């Protein structure tokens, strides 16, 4: 319904930056200065998709959707669900590209805005940062399944969890953990696939939709 103008991006060469930092430290050690300012070198990248390209992506219809509820979820778990869903959202997957939930999610830390909640690790329930992210991956898995996408990696939880059976039969869940297990699909539709979500915190319901 609404598009934001395409913008240029930036990229930093990590190896070059490392060498520049080392050089700056060496210069600082051999001088009488107490501080040294160094501007980071970067390159400007044009957007991969421009606004005038959107009508050529093949996104014309809803392929499939999936929902899950978390009515008895804790407040800290809700923070992680909301955070994770906001990141894994509005994602374009190119034809023949493999989507990775873990890669799309990125860093899961307290500094990134996540909280500690219960997770399942090696068959045991433990308190750790990011507990509740699997609510997001589970919901997306259901949307992927209903869309008939080519799911190449998915793992169930070590045991049944009541959260995922509030509005679903057992077995429709997907656990993720950095760096693995992951949730992946390969886009074999011949067109772009759009992933987006709707989070209803009033009713504790998450919905994922896949368009293509």
């Amino acid at each position: 319904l609404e598009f934001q103008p395409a913008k240029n991006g930036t990229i930093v060469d990590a190896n070059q930056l490392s060498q520049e930092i080392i050089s700056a430290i060496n210069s600082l050690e051999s001088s009488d200065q107490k501080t040294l300012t160094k501007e980071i070198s970067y390159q400007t990248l044009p957007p991969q998709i421009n606004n005038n390209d959107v009508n050529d992506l093949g996104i014309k219809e809803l392929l499939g959707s999936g929902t899950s509820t978390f009515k008895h979820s804790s407040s800290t778990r809700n923070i992680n669900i909301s955070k994770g869903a906001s990141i894994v959202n509005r994602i374009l997957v190119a034809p023949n590209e493999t989507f990775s939930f873990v890669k799309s999610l990125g860093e899961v830390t307290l500094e990134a805005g996540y909280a500690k909640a219960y997770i399942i690790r090696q068959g045991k329930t433990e308190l750790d940062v990011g507990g509740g992210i699997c609510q997001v991956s589970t919901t997306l898995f259901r949307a992927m399944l209903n869309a008939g996408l080519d799911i190449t990696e998915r793992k169930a939880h070590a045991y049944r969890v009541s959260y995922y059976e509030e509005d679903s039969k057992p077995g429709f869940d997907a656990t993720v953990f950095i760096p693995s297990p992951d949730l992946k699909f390969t886009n074999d539709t011949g067109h772009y696939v759009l992933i987006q979500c709707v989070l209803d915190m009033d009713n504790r319901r998450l919905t994922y939709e896949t368009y293509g």
Side-chain angles (χ1 to χ4, degrees):
L1 298 179
E2 182 178 349
F3 292 93
Q4 294 181 350
K7 298 179 180 179
N8 289 332
T10 56
I11 186 170
V12 175
D13 187 324
N15 292 328
Q16 180 181 344
L17 177 60
S18 176
Q19 294 300 319
E20 290 176 352
I21 292 174
I22 292 172
S23 176
I25 291 175
N26 290 335
S27 298
L28 191 62
E29 288 178 337
S30 60
S31 70
D32 295 331
Q33 293 177 278
K34 293 185 178 180
T35 61
L36 189 148
T37 301
K38 173 64 182 175
E39 291 193 7
I40 297 176
S41 302
Y42 65 90
Q43 292 179 321
T44 300
L45 296 178
Q48 293 182 341
I49 298 174
N50 290 294
N51 290 74
N52 57 358
D53 297 330
V54 295
N55 290 327
D56 300 325
L57 301 181
I59 299 173
K60 299 180 179 180
E61 59 188 329
L62 177 67
L63 300 179
S65 65
T67 63
S68 71
T69 58
F70 45 100
K71 297 176 182 178
H72 305 294
S73 186
S74 66
S75 58
T76 52
R77 191 173 185 274
N78 291 342
I79 291 173
N80 297 333
I81 294 172
S82 178
K83 178 70 176 180
S86 69
I87 295 174
V88 186
N89 189 23
R90 299 172 181 173
I91 295 174
L92 281 171
V93 184
N96 300 317
E97 180 182 354
T98 296
F99 165 85
S100 164
F101 185 93
V102 168
K103 183 178 179 181
S104 298
L105 183 65
E107 189 178 66
V108 179
T109 61
L110 294 174
E111 292 76 13
Y114 290 94
K116 286 190 175 183
Y118 285 103
I119 67 166
I120 299 173
R121 180 188 284 125
Q122 297 180 345
K124 297 180 180 180
T125 303
E126 300 177 357
L127 195 64
D128 202 355
V129 179
I133 291 296
C134 292
Q135 188 86 41
V136 182
S137 58
T138 288
T139 313
L140 179 55
F141 165 65
R142 295 174 182 179
M144 291 159 51
L145 197 63
N146 290 331
L149 295 172
D150 182 14
I151 300 171
T152 56
E153 184 175 341
R154 171 259 176 182
K155 185 176 181 180
H157 287 79
Y159 50 82
R160 289 171 60 178
V161 183
S162 60
Y163 287 132
Y164 307 126
E165 298 178 19
E166 288 181 351
D167 63 345
S168 172
K169 294 181 179 180
F172 292 90
D173 63 298
T175 183
V176 294
F177 198 81
I178 298 173
S180 65
D182 200 350
L183 174 65
K184 296 180 179 180
F185 77 87
T186 299
N187 179 9
D188 60 354
T189 68
H191 303 281
Y192 276 80
V193 168
L194 171 65
I195 298 171
Q196 64 182 31
C197 72
V198 179
L199 179 62
D200 181 358
M201 289 303 296
D202 291 334
N203 296 302
R204 299 292 193 271
R205 177 180 293 274
L206 178 63
T207 303
Y208 263 97
E209 301 169 330
T210 56
Y211 289 88

